Amino acid sequence: MERTFIAIKPDGVQRGLVGEIINRFQQKGFILVGMKFMQVSRELAEEHYGVHRDRPFFNGLVDFITSSPVVAMVWEGDGVVASARKLIGATNPLAAEPGTIRGDFGANIGRNIIHGSDAVETAQQEIALWFTKDELITWQPTMMPWVYE
């Protein structure tokens, strides 16, 4: 089974969308294997957004993600990285399809509710950055035979 990193950003937390977002992943049949409600340190934010370090919006990203608590999660399932990206929708909520998280709840690219890993390799790096191995649970929900054959 594949794993992906998902973070509900400060705007999603402040707007009370945590339960709705978790519900969408559960309804899809993905397994929650790790979750933290946390205040992101500047050091963690800078490392997470390191690929954007030389871009003019880097400091704004770091300031925003550290401005209020986030919910960091790890989800597991077949093809979960690509499928989660479809559930999340386009980075710019104005271009995101209705029915996606960003399409339904986002209004601005700078306040786009949620982060999701964009590739399996990125997911592995982000999971290792945000979680220790001891914080991740391997378990088998009783619903699994009803989701996967």
Side-chain angles (χ1 to χ4, degrees):
M1 290 268 192
E2 192 174 279
R3 289 183 171 180
T4 194
F5 175 73
I6 301 293
I8 303 173
K9 296 178 180 181
D11 52 332
V13 172
Q14 290 287 344
R15 292 178 53 198
L17 298 172
V18 173
E20 172 71 28
I21 292 168
I22 290 172
N23 188 47
R24 289 187 184 206
F25 282 86
Q26 288 179 318
Q27 286 179 333
K28 185 72 176 172
F30 296 135
I31 304 164
L32 181 63
V33 297
M35 182 167 68
K36 299 181 193 181
F37 181 64
M38 61 186 290
Q39 184 67 49
V40 180
S41 70
R42 187 153 195 91
E43 295 76 27
L44 176 58
E46 287 176 353
E47 191 166 350
H48 178 79
Y49 287 122
V51 298
H52 301 299
R53 188 171 306 281
D54 295 329
R55 298 200 172 161
F57 55 83
F58 174 75
N59 286 328
L61 286 173
V62 171
D63 290 344
F64 177 64
I65 202 77
T66 60
S67 68
S68 183
V70 304
V71 176
M73 299 175 284
V74 178
W75 290 89
E76 184 177 85
D78 284 344
V80 70
V81 173
S83 188
R85 297 290 292 181
K86 288 179 184 176
L87 282 172
I88 290 168
T91 302
N92 184 345
L94 299 176
E97 294 293 324
T100 65
I101 293 166
R102 289 176 175 154
D104 289 350
F105 304 115
N108 180 276
I109 195 166
R111 299 292 181 265
N112 65 8
I113 312 294
I114 188 169
H115 166 82
S117 300
D118 62 2
V120 173
E121 298 77 25
T122 308
Q124 292 167 348
Q125 294 166 358
E126 291 176 344
I127 291 167
L129 180 62
W130 289 76
F131 287 87
T132 66
K133 288 184 182 184
D134 291 339
E135 294 173 315
L136 302 175
I137 309 287
T138 298
W139 65 295
Q140 190 69 249
T142 57
M143 70 165 185
M144 293 316 290
W146 304 106
V147 178
Y148 297 106
E149 53 180 353

